[in-house]
Amino acid sequence: MSISAVVITVSTKGARGERADESGPMMRSALETAGITVIGTDLVPDEPARIEASIRGALAQGATLILTTGGTGLSPNDLTPEATRRVIDREIPGIAEALRLRALQATPHGMLGRGIAGAAGRALIVNLPGSPRAVRESLEVLIPVLPHAIELLAGESGETGHRLA
């Protein structure tokens, strides 16, 4: 099953051109190396309405995987999880738990991450931290489960490729 991904970087300074986006391009490269087709990227400020609109735009493009980077910490303007909750139909807490567990292996600050994961129809949406290192570490955990997750969201069994009854 093919995966069509959109990468969304959430950074006010990046959106203003005051800071280079390192995480988004690194995420795109890692996904493509894993054989995942990236059909779009976006760079939006830390504004819930803009984040939500970008996620909804990715869904309208037909993305089956939407990954955000940034806006998941404790800063007052870190509102990516809140914007994501407005779009998803249901949360998938195991993914967020696994990403936080991986972050905790690198730093005790990993427990401060607030990223979520969820499904919107047949698409998987996952919030990743903003730092390139944290994105790389998160993708090490996430990429191996993506084909199975996307297959299940599409209504396949995840084992044989047959539709569930």
Side-chain angles (χ1 to χ4, degrees), residues 84-118:
T84 302
R85 277 193 182 95
R86 293 182 195 166
V87 179
I88 62 172
D89 303 318
R90 54 195 169 132
E91 284 196 41
I92 307 170
I95 292 174
E97 292 164 4
L99 298 181
R100 272 189 280 283
L101 179 61
R102 176 61 181 98
L104 276 167
Q105 293 169 349
T107 174
H109 297 149
M111 71 178 76
L112 302 178
R114 298 183 320 105
I116 67 165

mmCIF file of all heavy atoms in Angstrom, residues 84-118:
data_model
loop_
_atom_site.group_PDB
_atom_site.id
_atom_site.type_symbol
_atom_site.label_atom_id
_atom_site.label_comp_id
_atom_site.label_asym_id
_atom_site.label_seq_id
_atom_site.Cartn_x
_atom_site.Cartn_y
_atom_site.Cartn_z
ATOM 1 N N THR A 84 -4.606 20.099 16.081
ATOM 2 C CA THR A 84 -4.751 18.744 15.548
ATOM 3 C C THR A 84 -6.021 18.092 16.086
ATOM 4 O O THR A 84 -6.739 17.416 15.345
ATOM 5 C CB THR A 84 -3.506 17.901 15.894
ATOM 6 O OG1 THR A 84 -2.349 18.540 15.345
ATOM 7 C CG2 THR A 84 -3.618 16.488 15.345
ATOM 8 N N ARG A 85 -6.310 18.308 17.350
ATOM 9 C CA ARG A 85 -7.520 17.719 17.949
ATOM 10 C C ARG A 85 -8.794 18.201 17.256
ATOM 11 O O ARG A 85 -9.801 17.508 17.254
ATOM 12 C CB ARG A 85 -7.587 18.033 19.441
ATOM 13 C CG ARG A 85 -6.758 17.089 20.268
ATOM 14 C CD ARG A 85 -7.056 17.193 21.759
ATOM 15 N NE ARG A 85 -6.173 16.287 22.462
ATOM 16 C CZ ARG A 85 -5.012 16.634 23.000
ATOM 17 N NH1 ARG A 85 -4.598 17.886 22.950
ATOM 18 N NH2 ARG A 85 -4.270 15.736 23.605
ATOM 19 N N ARG A 86 -8.758 19.389 16.678
ATOM 20 C CA ARG A 86 -9.930 19.916 15.970
ATOM 21 C C ARG A 86 -10.195 19.166 14.665
ATOM 22 O O ARG A 86 -11.276 19.279 14.098
ATOM 23 C CB ARG A 86 -9.732 21.396 15.645
ATOM 24 C CG ARG A 86 -9.689 22.292 16.849
ATOM 25 C CD ARG A 86 -9.546 23.722 16.388
ATOM 26 N NE ARG A 86 -9.148 24.586 17.475
ATOM 27 C CZ ARG A 86 -8.702 25.812 17.315
ATOM 28 N NH1 ARG A 86 -8.583 26.318 16.100
ATOM 29 N NH2 ARG A 86 -8.379 26.539 18.348
ATOM 30 N N VAL A 87 -9.190 18.435 14.186
ATOM 31 C CA VAL A 87 -9.295 17.771 12.888
ATOM 32 C C VAL A 87 -9.520 16.267 13.021
ATOM 33 O O VAL A 87 -10.273 15.683 12.241
ATOM 34 C CB VAL A 87 -8.032 18.040 12.040
ATOM 35 C CG1 VAL A 87 -8.109 17.334 10.694
ATOM 36 C CG2 VAL A 87 -7.809 19.537 11.852
ATOM 37 N N ILE A 88 -8.904 15.638 13.993
ATOM 38 C CA ILE A 88 -8.950 14.176 14.070
ATOM 39 C C ILE A 88 -10.314 13.671 14.539
ATOM 40 O O ILE A 88 -11.040 14.363 15.252
ATOM 41 C CB ILE A 88 -7.830 13.608 14.976
ATOM 42 C CG1 ILE A 88 -7.975 14.093 16.412
ATOM 43 C CG2 ILE A 88 -6.467 13.926 14.399
ATOM 44 C CD1 ILE A 88 -7.009 13.422 17.390
ATOM 45 N N ASP A 89 -10.617 12.451 14.107
ATOM 46 C CA ASP A 89 -11.836 11.775 14.539
ATOM 47 C C ASP A 89 -11.607 11.031 15.843
ATOM 48 O O ASP A 89 -12.503 10.902 16.666
ATOM 49 C CB ASP A 89 -12.292 10.753 13.486
ATOM 50 C CG ASP A 89 -12.510 11.380 12.127
ATOM 51 O OD1 ASP A 89 -13.075 12.483 12.066
ATOM 52 O OD2 ASP A 89 -12.100 10.752 11.120
ATOM 53 N N ARG A 90 -10.383 10.494 15.984
ATOM 54 C CA ARG A 90 -10.043 9.732 17.192
ATOM 55 C C ARG A 90 -8.536 9.748 17.391
ATOM 56 O O ARG A 90 -7.767 9.774 16.443
ATOM 57 C CB ARG A 90 -10.561 8.304 17.099
ATOM 58 C CG ARG A 90 -10.109 7.570 15.863
ATOM 59 C CD ARG A 90 -10.919 6.316 15.611
ATOM 60 N NE ARG A 90 -10.612 5.813 14.284
ATOM 61 C CZ ARG A 90 -10.318 4.565 14.012
ATOM 62 N NH1 ARG A 90 -10.303 3.664 14.960
ATOM 63 N NH2 ARG A 90 -10.055 4.189 12.781
ATOM 64 N N GLU A 91 -8.148 9.754 18.654
ATOM 65 C CA GLU A 91 -6.727 9.744 18.978
ATOM 66 C C GLU A 91 -6.169 8.334 18.903
ATOM 67 O O GLU A 91 -6.895 7.352 19.072
ATOM 68 C CB GLU A 91 -6.484 10.326 20.381
ATOM 69 C CG GLU A 91 -6.591 11.831 20.393
ATOM 70 C CD GLU A 91 -5.999 12.473 21.638
ATOM 71 O OE1 GLU A 91 -4.926 12.027 22.099
ATOM 72 O OE2 GLU A 91 -6.624 13.425 22.135
ATOM 73 N N ILE A 92 -4.873 8.261 18.663
ATOM 74 C CA ILE A 92 -4.131 7.008 18.685
ATOM 75 C C ILE A 92 -3.006 7.212 19.700
ATOM 76 O O ILE A 92 -1.878 7.552 19.350
ATOM 77 C CB ILE A 92 -3.579 6.655 17.291
ATOM 78 C CG1 ILE A 92 -4.705 6.670 16.255
ATOM 79 C CG2 ILE A 92 -2.874 5.290 17.322
ATOM 80 C CD1 ILE A 92 -4.228 6.574 14.822
ATOM 81 N N PRO A 93 -3.317 7.059 20.992
ATOM 82 C CA PRO A 93 -2.358 7.419 22.040
ATOM 83 C C PRO A 93 -1.075 6.606 22.031
ATOM 84 O O PRO A 93 -0.029 7.105 22.454
ATOM 85 C CB PRO A 93 -3.142 7.220 23.337
ATOM 86 C CG PRO A 93 -4.299 6.362 22.986
ATOM 87 C CD PRO A 93 -4.590 6.584 21.536
ATOM 88 N N GLY A 94 -1.118 5.370 21.564
ATOM 89 C CA GLY A 94 0.092 4.546 21.574
ATOM 90 C C GLY A 94 1.226 5.144 20.773
ATOM 91 O O GLY A 94 2.395 5.016 21.141
ATOM 92 N N ILE A 95 0.899 5.819 19.668
ATOM 93 C CA ILE A 95 1.942 6.437 18.863
ATOM 94 C C ILE A 95 2.606 7.570 19.643
ATOM 95 O O ILE A 95 3.832 7.638 19.744
ATOM 96 C CB ILE A 95 1.391 6.938 17.514
ATOM 97 C CG1 ILE A 95 0.994 5.746 16.641
ATOM 98 C CG2 ILE A 95 2.421 7.817 16.799
ATOM 99 C CD1 ILE A 95 0.311 6.126 15.339
ATOM 100 N N ALA A 96 1.804 8.461 20.227
ATOM 101 C CA ALA A 96 2.365 9.578 20.999
ATOM 102 C C ALA A 96 3.166 9.065 22.196
ATOM 103 O O ALA A 96 4.232 9.602 22.519
ATOM 104 C CB ALA A 96 1.247 10.515 21.453
ATOM 105 N N GLU A 97 2.667 8.005 22.829
ATOM 106 C CA GLU A 97 3.390 7.424 23.973
ATOM 107 C C GLU A 97 4.741 6.871 23.537
ATOM 108 O O GLU A 97 5.750 7.062 24.224
ATOM 109 C CB GLU A 97 2.545 6.318 24.612
ATOM 110 C CG GLU A 97 1.303 6.833 25.302
ATOM 111 C CD GLU A 97 0.281 5.743 25.596
ATOM 112 O OE1 GLU A 97 0.560 4.545 25.338
ATOM 113 O OE2 GLU A 97 -0.815 6.082 26.071
ATOM 114 N N ALA A 98 4.768 6.185 22.398
ATOM 115 C CA ALA A 98 6.025 5.618 21.902
ATOM 116 C C ALA A 98 7.028 6.717 21.551
ATOM 117 O O ALA A 98 8.227 6.587 21.829
ATOM 118 C CB ALA A 98 5.761 4.733 20.687
ATOM 119 N N LEU A 99 6.539 7.809 20.965
ATOM 120 C CA LEU A 99 7.440 8.911 20.615
ATOM 121 C C LEU A 99 7.987 9.593 21.865
ATOM 122 O O LEU A 99 9.163 9.962 21.917
ATOM 123 C CB LEU A 99 6.725 9.916 19.708
ATOM 124 C CG LEU A 99 6.261 9.372 18.357
ATOM 125 C CD1 LEU A 99 5.601 10.466 17.541
ATOM 126 C CD2 LEU A 99 7.396 8.721 17.590
ATOM 127 N N ARG A 100 7.158 9.753 22.888
ATOM 128 C CA ARG A 100 7.643 10.346 24.142
ATOM 129 C C ARG A 100 8.637 9.414 24.829
ATOM 130 O O ARG A 100 9.636 9.855 25.390
ATOM 131 C CB ARG A 100 6.482 10.689 25.066
ATOM 132 C CG ARG A 100 5.931 12.087 24.808
ATOM 133 C CD ARG A 100 4.922 12.518 25.855
ATOM 134 N NE ARG A 100 3.607 11.954 25.614
ATOM 135 C CZ ARG A 100 2.760 12.402 24.690
ATOM 136 N NH1 ARG A 100 3.105 13.395 23.906
ATOM 137 N NH2 ARG A 100 1.576 11.843 24.548
ATOM 138 N N LEU A 101 8.367 8.111 24.783
ATOM 139 C CA LEU A 101 9.299 7.147 25.369
ATOM 140 C C LEU A 101 10.668 7.258 24.698
ATOM 141 O O LEU A 101 11.697 7.277 25.373
ATOM 142 C CB LEU A 101 8.752 5.724 25.244
ATOM 143 C CG LEU A 101 9.633 4.611 25.802
ATOM 144 C CD1 LEU A 101 9.869 4.804 27.296
ATOM 145 C CD2 LEU A 101 8.993 3.254 25.535
ATOM 146 N N ARG A 102 10.666 7.362 23.376
ATOM 147 C CA ARG A 102 11.933 7.517 22.649
ATOM 148 C C ARG A 102 12.615 8.822 23.046
ATOM 149 O O ARG A 102 13.822 8.863 23.256
ATOM 150 C CB ARG A 102 11.692 7.462 21.136
ATOM 151 C CG ARG A 102 12.942 7.712 20.300
ATOM 152 C CD ARG A 102 14.005 6.662 20.584
ATOM 153 N NE ARG A 102 15.208 6.889 19.825
ATOM 154 C CZ ARG A 102 16.298 7.506 20.301
ATOM 155 N NH1 ARG A 102 16.318 7.943 21.544
ATOM 156 N NH2 ARG A 102 17.348 7.676 19.540
ATOM 157 N N ALA A 103 11.856 9.888 23.178
ATOM 158 C CA ALA A 103 12.424 11.181 23.575
ATOM 159 C C ALA A 103 13.027 11.108 24.971
ATOM 160 O O ALA A 103 14.085 11.686 25.240
ATOM 161 C CB ALA A 103 11.356 12.274 23.505
ATOM 162 N N LEU A 104 12.373 10.379 25.872
ATOM 163 C CA LEU A 104 12.881 10.233 27.239
ATOM 164 C C LEU A 104 14.210 9.478 27.282
ATOM 165 O O LEU A 104 15.006 9.674 28.193
ATOM 166 C CB LEU A 104 11.860 9.518 28.118
ATOM 167 C CG LEU A 104 10.786 10.407 28.706
ATOM 168 C CD1 LEU A 104 9.667 9.565 29.289
ATOM 169 C CD2 LEU A 104 11.380 11.314 29.769
ATOM 170 N N GLN A 105 14.437 8.625 26.305
ATOM 171 C CA GLN A 105 15.708 7.915 26.236
ATOM 172 C C GLN A 105 16.857 8.866 25.912
ATOM 173 O O GLN A 105 17.995 8.596 26.256
ATOM 174 C CB GLN A 105 15.643 6.790 25.200
ATOM 175 C CG GLN A 105 14.692 5.689 25.594
ATOM 176 C CD GLN A 105 14.432 4.709 24.469
ATOM 177 O OE1 GLN A 105 14.794 4.927 23.320
ATOM 178 N NE2 GLN A 105 13.793 3.591 24.812
ATOM 179 N N ALA A 106 16.540 9.984 25.280
ATOM 180 C CA ALA A 106 17.555 10.965 24.900
ATOM 181 C C ALA A 106 17.716 12.069 25.937
ATOM 182 O O ALA A 106 18.819 12.567 26.152
ATOM 183 C CB ALA A 106 17.209 11.576 23.543
ATOM 184 N N THR A 107 16.608 12.466 26.595
ATOM 185 C CA THR A 107 16.649 13.579 27.539
ATOM 186 C C THR A 107 15.443 13.526 28.468
ATOM 187 O O THR A 107 14.346 13.173 28.025
ATOM 188 C CB THR A 107 16.656 14.944 26.808
ATOM 189 O OG1 THR A 107 16.554 16.008 27.781
ATOM 190 C CG2 THR A 107 15.520 15.078 25.826
ATOM 191 N N PRO A 108 15.612 13.898 29.732
ATOM 192 C CA PRO A 108 14.442 13.950 30.615
ATOM 193 C C PRO A 108 13.408 14.977 30.152
ATOM 194 O O PRO A 108 12.240 14.890 30.517
ATOM 195 C CB PRO A 108 15.016 14.309 31.980
ATOM 196 C CG PRO A 108 16.449 14.611 31.795
ATOM 197 C CD PRO A 108 16.846 14.206 30.416
ATOM 198 N N HIS A 109 13.831 15.924 29.331
ATOM 199 C CA HIS A 109 12.890 16.921 28.811
ATOM 200 C C HIS A 109 11.878 16.304 27.858
ATOM 201 O O HIS A 109 10.878 16.935 27.518
ATOM 202 C CB HIS A 109 13.637 18.051 28.103
ATOM 203 C CG HIS A 109 14.526 18.817 29.026
ATOM 204 N ND1 HIS A 109 15.697 19.397 28.606
ATOM 205 C CD2 HIS A 109 14.444 19.069 30.350
ATOM 206 C CE1 HIS A 109 16.287 19.982 29.629
ATOM 207 N NE2 HIS A 109 15.541 19.792 30.698
ATOM 208 N N GLY A 110 12.113 15.065 27.424
ATOM 209 C CA GLY A 110 11.187 14.388 26.529
ATOM 210 C C GLY A 110 9.792 14.264 27.106
ATOM 211 O O GLY A 110 8.811 14.197 26.370
ATOM 212 N N MET A 111 9.693 14.251 28.437
ATOM 213 C CA MET A 111 8.373 14.133 29.055
ATOM 214 C C MET A 111 7.555 15.408 28.920
ATOM 215 O O MET A 111 6.358 15.418 29.220
ATOM 216 C CB MET A 111 8.492 13.744 30.532
ATOM 217 C CG MET A 111 9.033 14.824 31.424
ATOM 218 S SD MET A 111 9.114 14.347 33.161
ATOM 219 C CE MET A 111 10.539 13.275 33.156
ATOM 220 N N LEU A 112 8.160 16.475 28.450
ATOM 221 C CA LEU A 112 7.449 17.746 28.306
ATOM 222 C C LEU A 112 6.746 17.871 26.957
ATOM 223 O O LEU A 112 5.984 18.814 26.744
ATOM 224 C CB LEU A 112 8.418 18.917 28.494
ATOM 225 C CG LEU A 112 9.159 18.944 29.836
ATOM 226 C CD1 LEU A 112 10.122 20.114 29.877
ATOM 227 C CD2 LEU A 112 8.178 18.986 30.994
ATOM 228 N N GLY A 113 6.989 16.934 26.059
ATOM 229 C CA GLY A 113 6.353 16.972 24.749
ATOM 230 C C GLY A 113 4.863 16.682 24.858
ATOM 231 O O GLY A 113 4.440 15.817 25.611
ATOM 232 N N ARG A 114 4.067 17.429 24.105
ATOM 233 C CA ARG A 114 2.609 17.285 24.161
ATOM 234 C C ARG A 114 2.009 16.804 22.849
ATOM 235 O O ARG A 114 0.805 16.854 22.652
ATOM 236 C CB ARG A 114 1.976 18.632 24.530
ATOM 237 C CG ARG A 114 2.387 19.166 25.882
ATOM 238 C CD ARG A 114 1.675 20.464 26.252
ATOM 239 N NE ARG A 114 1.523 21.389 25.147
ATOM 240 C CZ ARG A 114 0.371 21.603 24.501
ATOM 241 N NH1 ARG A 114 -0.727 20.982 24.837
ATOM 242 N NH2 ARG A 114 0.334 22.462 23.497
ATOM 243 N N GLY A 115 2.842 16.342 21.930
ATOM 244 C CA GLY A 115 2.347 15.913 20.632
ATOM 245 C C GLY A 115 1.328 14.799 20.752
ATOM 246 O O GLY A 115 1.370 13.991 21.681
ATOM 247 N N ILE A 116 0.402 14.770 19.804
ATOM 248 C CA ILE A 116 -0.616 13.723 19.757
ATOM 249 C C ILE A 116 -0.565 13.039 18.391
ATOM 250 O O ILE A 116 0.088 13.517 17.461
ATOM 251 C CB ILE A 116 -2.034 14.258 20.042
ATOM 252 C CG1 ILE A 116 -2.508 15.197 18.920
ATOM 253 C CG2 ILE A 116 -2.099 14.937 21.398
ATOM 254 C CD1 ILE A 116 -4.000 15.471 18.955
ATOM 255 N N ALA A 117 -1.276 11.945 18.294
ATOM 256 C CA ALA A 117 -1.458 11.247 17.021
ATOM 257 C C ALA A 117 -2.922 10.863 16.932
ATOM 258 O O ALA A 117 -3.562 10.574 17.941
ATOM 259 C CB ALA A 117 -0.580 10.006 16.966
ATOM 260 N N GLY A 118 -3.435 10.869 15.723
ATOM 261 C CA GLY A 118 -4.830 10.498 15.554
ATOM 262 C C GLY A 118 -5.168 10.212 14.114
ATOM 263 O O GLY A 118 -4.355 10.390 13.210
#
